[in-house]
Amino acid sequence: MIIVMKRNAEKSLADRVIDKIESLDLKPVPLFGTERTVIAVIGDTRKIQKESMSALPGVDKVMSVVTPFKLTSRDTQKEDSVIKVNGTRIGGGTFTLMAGPCAVEGEDMLLETARKVKSGGASLLRGGAYKPRTSPYSFQGHGEKGLAILQNAKNETGLPVITELMEIADLKHVEQYADIIQIGTRNMHNFRLLKAVGMSKKPVMLKRGMSATFKEFLMSAEYIMKEGNQNVILCERGIRTFSDYSRNTLDLSIVPMLKKVSHLPVIVDPSHGTGKTELVLPMAKAAIAAGADGIMIEVHPNPADAVSDGDQSLNFEQFDNFMEEIKPYVQLAGLKMQ
Ligand code: PEP
Ligand code: MN
């Protein structure tokens, strides 16, 4: 069930509704939208008397939710969610570019890349300090030291950072440094981790599991939002199919589907989605045309020497060209470059 507050109803009125829900031993999850507040009710909603709830001051409507996507659905919130990160806006008509190396390999390469992507127009710096690698013998990331390096790059360039969290034990640390916490494809089904970031105050970017269906993807976002964190960004990063000319198959048709069903912003990652540098630009263009709110790409000063994902990273020259080439697509999609 959802309780839709009147447009511009004062927060104190929403608080009263929240108290009422809690007094019935139910869990309220408020979504503070730009236009109005919606309060989702989790639990046995038969305890709620619709008439008496509707009569509370500031309440516009009390509705039953038929969709399985209670908090992510556009039935619950009509307007696009806009996630605000240090003055940067994600969603709601703004184009967001997240760029940086696959892994934080060291201080110099990160700073150099951060300066480059900042001057090119990126709005967030990406870089993994904790790396989920196929082989336990491969570089696993610099951990806390990597987070500190990200912090230095942020201090110098002013770019907010997005970085991956792999386990609950590291949440306190990652939360301290990250402006957006990334949940990687391998952890999309890690429900305890999803619940943990659901309790965090930091926005979360949830990458689609490499074999996750549409429903599973949105349900994982529900896990995060149910705990009270409404700042969730979805990221399509390719799925496993029989197609073998690329690392993954970038499922771009999920973008308009997600945008139709959900109010959450959608980012596309053509780097992991294809695994090939030459495919990053064309698929970024296609993603923007399909309605994505932004793109995440890997950029490295010298991809041939990258410790991970060099084959899908852009060098600085390719990054400059990328920025030039996507501009008309961003414009045509009606998005604002920030
Ligand atoms: C990443 O973005 O660093 C990453 C590991 O991506 P994914 O989880 O999509 O493989
Ligand atoms: Mn990578």
Side-chain angles (χ1 to χ4, degrees):
M1 179 174 283
I2 58 167
I3 296 157
V4 183
M5 300 301 291
K6 287 187 177 138
R7 213 175 277 267
N8 305 322
E10 279 174 32
K11 187 169 175 297
S12 60
L13 297 179
D15 288 342
R16 229 171 117 179
V17 174
I18 289 170
D19 287 346
K20 174 81 186 160
I21 296 167
E22 281 173 344
S23 75
L24 296 169
D25 245 356
L26 298 169
K27 184 179 159 72
V29 183
L31 304 172
F32 297 105
T34 44
E35 293 198 11
R36 52 171 98 214
T37 298
V38 168
I39 302 159
V41 187
I42 314 285
D44 183 1
T45 52
R46 284 173 303 184
K47 291 184 198 166
I48 292 183
Q49 278 190 312
K50 270 193 176 180
E51 295 71 29
S52 64
M53 197 56 95
S54 309
L56 287 178
V59 172
D60 187 9
K61 296 185 272 219
V62 177
M63 293 159 41
S64 306
V65 186
V66 279
T67 159
F69 312 121
K70 300 204 182 309
L71 302 169
T72 55
S73 169
R74 276 210 196 265
D75 291 347
T76 304
Q77 183 183 305
K78 292 263 168 299
E79 76 266 24
D80 283 356
S81 274
V82 179
I83 317 291
K84 299 183 188 89
V85 184
N86 293 17
T88 298
R89 292 161 68 85
I90 302 167
T94 311
F95 177 74
T96 300
L97 184 79
M98 306 176 176
C102 178
V104 177
E105 296 173 13
E107 182 101 47
D108 292 348
M109 66 76 73
L110 191 73
L111 212 59
E112 204 189 334
T113 313
R115 286 192 198 111
K116 180 71 201 174
V117 300
K118 162 89 183 182
S119 70
S123 25
L124 278 120
L125 174 66
R126 64 145 289 143
Y130 299 92
K131 294 303 305 173
R133 304 304 300 282
T134 301
S135 164
Y137 310 113
S138 302
F139 173 65
Q140 303 285 307
H142 284 307
E144 276 181 60
K145 196 177 121 208
L147 293 174
I149 295 175
L150 279 166
Q151 174 79 53
N152 289 345
K154 174 182 169 176
N155 291 346
E156 199 192 298
T157 60
L159 277 179
V161 303
I162 173 164
T163 195
E164 180 164 353
L165 171 73
M166 286 171 55
E167 44 184 300
I168 297 177
D170 298 322
L171 176 58
K172 283 275 162 296
H173 260 101
V174 171
E175 212 173 27
Q176 214 178 307
Y177 293 94
D179 295 289
I180 301 179
I181 301 171
Q182 178 171 316
I183 299 295
T185 191
R186 294 159 188 83
N187 274 313
M188 192 214 77
H189 292 287
N190 184 341
F191 301 126
R192 290 197 57 201
L193 186 64
L194 300 179
K195 284 186 188 181
V197 294
M199 287 179 234
S200 170
K201 295 269 176 289
K202 290 289 169 86
V204 176
M205 186 168 89
L206 176 67
K207 297 189 95 176
R208 181 183 181 184
M210 59 183 89
S211 66
T213 62
F214 181 85
K215 184 174 177 187
E216 287 166 344
F217 190 16
L218 277 187
M219 280 302 173
S220 286
E222 293 281 337
Y223 263 98
I224 301 170
M225 294 185 78
K226 180 174 177 282
E227 299 305 319
N229 191 343
Q230 58 170 301
N231 293 316
V232 177
I233 303 157
L234 303 170
C235 178
E236 161 59 33
R237 51 76 70 203
I239 50 171
R240 288 256 166 101
T241 67
F242 55 81
S243 182
D244 61 356
Y245 64 90
S246 57
R247 180 178 178 183
N248 290 295
T249 298
L250 192 63
D251 181 17
L252 285 184
S253 56
I254 203 170
V255 176
M257 264 327 262
L258 287 171
K259 297 293 298 179
K260 184 173 108 180
V261 173
S262 173
H263 53 84
L264 298 176
V266 178
I267 300 290
V268 170
D269 172 355
S271 303
H272 293 90
T274 66
K276 285 192 160 83
T277 301
E278 65 183 304
L279 296 179
V280 171
L281 174 60
M283 294 317 282
K285 287 175 175 173
I288 297 164
D293 296 287
I295 302 288
M296 169 179 260
I297 50 167
E298 290 185 334
V299 178
H300 193 283
N302 187 4
D305 290 342
V307 295
S308 57
D309 289 350
D311 291 347
Q312 65 193 38
S313 299
L314 306 185
N315 65 26
F316 289 179
E317 204 186 319
Q318 287 161 334
F319 174 70
D320 283 337
N321 179 54
F322 178 93
M323 292 312 296
E324 249 343 277
E325 291 263 343
I326 61 162
K327 266 183 201 145
Y329 289 79
V330 173
Q331 233 174 20
L332 212 63
L335 298 174
K336 243 188 12 240
M337 275 280 197
Q338 38 190 348

